[in-house]
Amino acid sequence: MEGKVSCNLLTADPEVQGHQDATLSDVFLVKSRSRSGPVSASEKPAHTDHYDELESAMQKKSESGDEVDQVPGASRVRRNPETPCFPQLSNNSLTPPDPAPKPSTSQDENEEPAVAKFFNRSGSPSAMLRNKGAAYKKVGEDGVCRMHKFSLYETATRYYMVGGDIMDQRFRILKIDRTTESGDLSIADDDIIYTKKEMNQLLNAVDDGNKPSGGLKLRCSTWGLLGFIRFTDAYYMLLITKRSQVAMIGGHYIYQIDGTELVSLTTTSSSSRFRADHHPEEARFVAILNNLDLSRSFYFSYSYDITRSLQHNILRERLGLQQGQVDPPKRHHNEMFIWNHHLLKPAVETLKNTYDWCLPVVHGFVDQATLSIYGRTVYITIIARRSRFFAGARFLKRGANDLGYVANDVETEQIVSEMLTTSFHSPGPELYANPNYTSYVQHRGSIPLYWTQDSTGVTPKPDIELNLNDPFYGAAALHFDNLFERYGAPVLVLNLVKSRERTPRESILLKEYTNAITYLNQFLPESSKIIYEAWDMSRASKSRDQDVIGTLESIAENVMIKTSFFHNGSDQEGGMKLQNGVARTNCIDCLDRTNAAQFVIGKRALGYQLHALGVISDTSIDYDTDAVNLFTHMYHDHGDTIAIQYGGSHLVNTMETYRKINQWTSHSRDMVESFKRYYNNSFLDGQRQEAYNLFLGNYIFAQGQPMLWDLSTDYYLHHADPRTWSAKKRRSYIDWFTPEFLAPRTMPSVTQPHGALAGKPLDFFDDYWLEYYKPLAVSSFLKIFSFRMNSTLRYIPFKSTQEGKYDLSPFRIRIGSEQDVPDKQDRSGRLNAIRHDDDHSDDASSQVSHGAALPVHTALPSWLQTQDKEQSPLHQSTRKGLHNAVTDKTQAPVTSRKGNKESKDKSAITQWTLNQFVSNSLNPAVTESEANEYERYINHPLNLPLVISTDTPPNPNLEFLIHINSVSDEAVSNINSTPEDIADYAEFLEVGDDPLTVTEADTPKKRYKAYRQWLKGKSLFKQQRVDT
């Protein structure tokens, strides 16, 4: 955060704090303008009174010879420059909160609004005068003008899309025709860069020319164009209307799509030939496309290629520096992960610079969090990319197709970077050589065989069928050759399917998959063979004598040794490393067991990455630390998102299930998620699959062909047409791999531009500065994404930090009472922090720091495992005080060593409760109050009449008299019975000789109402109607 640190120091000044209503924006604006001159009225904020006070005070300072950066009142505070002043560690704010805070909306919480601002053009002049001194620049002369926000204008016959850069200084325009023939797309880009004044004149000229037909009107503002799609008639264009920041990598933001709009490229006149009744199927296609929610888990970036891994992006840029050329960005995207690839095809065929206007989007998961280590800031980013090939719902897409693409193919990358500097470059500048960036990539995907499951029945687990027994395993060969191309060798396969079943299901695939790996390995070189390991994780998790986490940890260590990870740098001597190979994990669904295994591998990789950055001295991280808890929550959200996309529900088995903690809570949650997954797979997967096929272009409407909803199967939409490959030469069954893909990756050592690139400025290669730091823009810390993301600091209990004795290390093991999970909040939104006493926290810290690396998880909570002899004197004194308080039946507060402050040590109370329970069990005793209560109980009268009458029995008990007197005469007189009540009561008293036999005379009675309904065909349990 090089460019935004001074703002924090400015707001700590007492004079600035004195203006309670002055915001950070006022201070920033005054500071920025104090060097450049007076501020115009249009630039001043709404509350100008505080603004003027700040400006005048700073002006007086500058006239008196002091520095402009010194705010008013600074002279009153005398500081010794040699003695640093550290603030007290506290969660309290510096100033009291505003008693009447202004309500904030979701848009005010972000640095950028969710909805883009449209181009603000002035009114159309009577006569447009062209600026003779205007110099129109062509795109590419000074680099490509990358646009970040767009405005869509419309006339009766055309759409005009105006794109502006992030500084609102350079603009471009795209013209889209609305009157072309059906099936044609006419779009034009003049490749000219305009200033704001020139763009305003151009739009005014268009407005004047279309006055007879209504002029130029603003349709909407948008963040980008996803592409064009056509169903039966005219084209539609899909626009991004809302977005939100989710991550930042190297100064480049990654956004999530929060809203889209589908705009038809037709005219709206009644005489138009594009009428809805011309193609009645058009509305149904639009409805099917709307079943795909584009506002969930779709991501894009303006300047960072999120379709590729960090290692590939850095390697590509360094290779371009070595060759002295920079390729256009369109050549670098991985089409496997571009989910709007079908929508981009018309734009690619028409536009010269397609990706200047259209944004490639990925489908999957993106999350970022901060790891705070004593002032050092480390970002942990998880990016999951779902393949668009053979994509679909759970039971409808299994195994692999004949092109080698597998179902539920997801690439997961974790980027760990220390934010000493923001960009990918190191000082010098050495381009793309920042040693503070590391990355590790994993892969998951269905078993690459021809197998399916029939989900038409009501069985939650349908039988598994091998549809084709291929002796040469062609689909698996194509799949692993693709993995070699993407990640290199070796490929480590972790197969987690069941090996022993009463009715063989998963074990069928286990045997066939093992045979496929054995066959393919016999042709590979010894150093590049597929490393295969099969382990029944489900059986191990249900066994008491097997350690699931321990086994996965040993597997993860072997994976890291074989594949390594990516660590950026100038050369290998400086610590640069490259990842060669990948770990491929699968179970039957690639959801629950796979996510747990990938988490353990990712946790192991996280240790290696932090060690490479110099954060920790070892390569392993313990469980139950703040760092691992944060990483666990991120991977849990990652697994939930992947599971919803493929299976329709959240994860059924989480890490708590496999670590065997909170088993009762996790068991009930797992059952609910199982029911949700079964429901979605049975009733909703068909609709989702149709939406996938339409959006991805697997189905394209053609005259004479069946409609999408009339297809009995989509098998032919996801497999190659035999007529296209039958005439081609078949791949070799022996040389099934490409030798070039097995070569290890190497990083070019060139970090300085040369050749045609020599002398180019840094922004020519990576224009991150404008996107991240936003010069000339007013920013507030509360709205900056980097300050709003999740952090390990949120796991710290509030009470323990107020005196600075809490161990802030995120790598310290927290016992059960010390953990403060941020997402466990009450209804008021405040954290349920557990408060500790300081001495108790210190004792617990010393016990854990000298303990084992991995805590032993038993059926008891951690606070039950503490021995009484290891307790501190404070614990013993607390127990003594509590024992006296309970014995005397009083509620006197327990005082600590600090005076009469009430102790709220819940762990001490819980520990005392356990010890007292054991003591009372071994030495039973009855207190005086308990003896009196028992005597009162046994002396209670047992001869009270069951029916209250007017006669009072002799020698009545006191409690009986109190009860009689509590019932007033008025209440008794109001107890009346209607004739209907008496008739119903008499009916219930009439019981026949054989009460189990129901005659026709008994059917009108109320007691047989359910029986009458059952005779009519209605179920007793509110199920479907039974035909009689």
Side-chain angles (χ1 to χ4, degrees), residues 71-128:
V71 295
S75 59
R76 305 174 190 173
V77 182
R78 299 183 180 272
R79 298 188 179 94
N80 188 357
E82 298 179 357
T83 305
C85 180
F86 296 99
Q88 184 181 12
L89 181 61
S90 174
N91 287 278
N92 299 328
S93 58
L94 296 178
T95 57
D98 190 359
K102 298 179 180 180
S104 61
T105 60
S106 59
Q107 294 186 6
D108 294 334
E109 297 175 357
N110 299 327
E111 186 179 9
E112 295 182 352
V115 180
K117 296 181 179 179
F118 57 87
F119 178 80
N120 188 14
R121 70 184 186 94
S122 60
S124 176
S126 57
M128 188 196 74

Side-chain angles (χ1 to χ4, degrees), residues 476-489 491 520 523-525 528 530 731-745:
L478 290 171
H479 174 67
F480 282 104
D481 191 35
N482 179 259
L483 292 183
F484 288 143
E485 179 184 5
R486 290 157 59 185
Y487 311 110
V491 174
L520 297 176
F523 307 113
L524 285 171
S528 303
I530 302 172
R731 291 173 60 98
S732 174
Y733 296 134
I734 298 177
D735 300 329
W736 58 269
F737 58 92
T738 305
E740 292 79 9
F741 298 159
L742 304 180
R745 270 62 171 167

Side-chain angles (χ1 to χ4, degrees), residues 484-663:
F484 288 143
E485 179 184 5
R486 290 157 59 185
Y487 311 110
V491 174
L492 293 89
V493 176
L494 179 57
N495 189 12
L496 303 176
V497 300
K498 298 178 181 178
S499 58
R500 297 173 59 185
E501 299 173 294
R502 294 182 179 179
T503 303
R505 292 180 60 258
E506 298 184 14
S507 56
I508 300 175
L509 296 177
L510 173 64
K511 180 180 178 181
E512 193 70 13
Y513 196 17
T514 306
N515 295 337
I517 299 295
T518 304
Y519 171 80
L520 297 176
N521 262 341
Q522 61 182 335
F523 307 113
L524 285 171
E526 188 66 29
S527 60
S528 303
K529 289 186 180 297
I530 302 172
I531 303 175
Y532 178 74
E533 182 167 355
W535 179 50
D536 191 345
M537 182 175 174
S538 177
R539 187 178 184 87
S541 64
K542 299 176 182 177
S543 177
R544 296 184 178 180
D545 57 348
Q546 294 195 40
D547 184 10
V548 176
I549 303 301
T551 305
L552 290 176
E553 287 282 355
S554 61
I555 295 174
E557 178 65 23
N558 183 45
V559 167
M560 294 304 301
I561 295 175
K562 295 292 183 181
T563 63
S564 189
F565 62 99
F566 170 66
H567 182 201
N568 195 20
S570 56
D571 50 26
Q572 293 184 355
E573 296 179 357
M576 184 185 65
K577 296 180 181 179
L578 293 178
Q579 179 179 349
N580 285 283
V582 71
R584 185 194 190 278
T585 311
N586 72 269
C587 53
I588 198 66
D589 294 322
C590 301
L591 296 179
D592 306 328
R593 288 168 281 179
T594 297
N595 197 75
Q598 283 198 337
F599 162 77
V600 176
I601 297 175
K603 169 185 167 294
R604 192 61 177 160
L606 178 64
Y608 275 87
Q609 291 172 285
L610 293 175
H611 175 72
L613 295 176
V615 176
I616 58 178
S617 59
D618 197 5
T619 58
S620 62
I621 313 177
D622 299 329
Y623 286 92
D624 297 319
T625 59
D626 292 343
V628 174
N629 289 340
L630 178 70
F631 191 68
T632 303
H633 289 171
M634 296 179 67
Y635 246 92
H636 188 275
D637 295 340
H638 161 262
D640 280 342
T641 304
I642 299 301
I644 290 175
Q645 295 168 5
Y646 184 64
S649 70
H650 294 86
L651 289 173
V652 173
N653 298 313
T654 62
M655 280 302 300
E656 292 183 348
T657 306
Y658 295 111
R659 290 187 63 193
K660 299 180 180 180
I661 54 178
N662 297 334
Q663 296 190 60

Side-chain angles (χ1 to χ4, degrees), residues 685-697:
D685 280 358
Q687 299 177 7
R688 287 199 298 138
Q689 189 64 54
E690 287 184 349
Y692 283 147
N693 292 335
L694 189 62
F695 182 78
L696 295 174

